[in-house]
Amino acid sequence: MPYLAAAVVLIGLLCVLNLLLTVGLIRRLREQGAGRPGNAAPPTALGPGSRIGDFTTRTTDGEPVSHEDLVGLVGFFSAGCTPCHDLAPRFAAHAAGLPRREVLAVVTGEDPELVALLSPAARVVTEEFDGAVTSAFQNSWTPALYLIGAGRRVVATGGRLEDLPVESSA
């Protein structure tokens, strides 16, 4: 019986130690995350100065789009992404002030709501997560915004409209 009592006390002490270590780890992670803004820029593969890859696809309206005629604002959104749904109305409102041919929205997954919201102001492409446009941009994060200039070069990138230069026409 004394062995059983000792085992229970030992297990109890190990549980308390584990709890203290876990609380300390959570505090440290919170402190490290406190220095970063809540809407930090996404880890985009192509940074300013990078050249986008080749692609050819069609918009939801059947209009052809390729790397050769892409200049302006490009936004990547995905189905089921809450930040994407938060950004989409602001993106559409901003895009409404630009020529439609200079705005491309890429929606990954099935999301008719996003497509309907973005279609009036932008050319919209729907594709899977490894689609032609996503691959050309080497993009693995949503929402992600790119400003494309002459020569298929990325001028700016970010996860919010505020991350891009005020003037969105390249």
Side-chain angles (χ1 to χ4, degrees):
M1 196 63 136
Y3 294 112
L4 183 59
V8 170
V9 169
L10 180 63
I11 290 173
L13 289 173
L14 287 174
C15 288
V16 169
L17 178 65
N18 185 22
L19 180 63
L20 291 173
L21 290 173
T22 303
V23 168
L25 180 63
I26 290 171
R27 282 186 181 170
R28 179 169 284 184
L29 288 173
R30 284 186 180 166
E31 287 170 5
Q32 288 176 351
R36 285 184 251 144
N39 293 325
T44 52
L46 296 181
S50 299
R51 189 172 176 158
I52 61 170
D54 297 348
F55 72 90
T56 302
T57 189
R58 291 199 171 273
T59 67
T60 54
D61 295 333
E63 176 185 353
V65 178
S66 77
H67 59 278
E68 295 172 352
D69 62 0
L70 189 62
V71 173
L73 182 62
V74 179
F76 287 86
F77 303 89
S78 60
C81 166
T82 301
C84 296
H85 284 268
D86 294 343
L87 176 62
R90 293 182 51 235
F91 179 87
H94 181 76
L98 301 171
R100 192 168 189 267
R101 72 182 178 285
E102 292 183 11
V103 183
L104 180 67
V106 181
V107 178
T108 54
E110 298 274 334
D111 198 331
E113 181 183 325
L114 268 178
V115 172
L117 178 67
L118 296 167
S119 290
R123 299 179 293 169
V124 179
V125 171
T126 57
E127 62 183 22
E128 294 303 316
F129 290 99
D130 59 351
V133 183
T134 302
S135 296
F137 278 81
Q138 302 172 18
N139 192 67
S140 62
W141 194 267
T142 57
L145 304 175
Y146 294 86
L147 189 58
I148 307 302
R152 298 172 20 201
R153 299 269 180 205
V154 175
V155 175
T157 183
R160 306 171 299 162
L161 286 170
E162 295 80 14
D163 296 335
L164 302 179
V166 175
E167 184 178 67
S168 292
S169 187

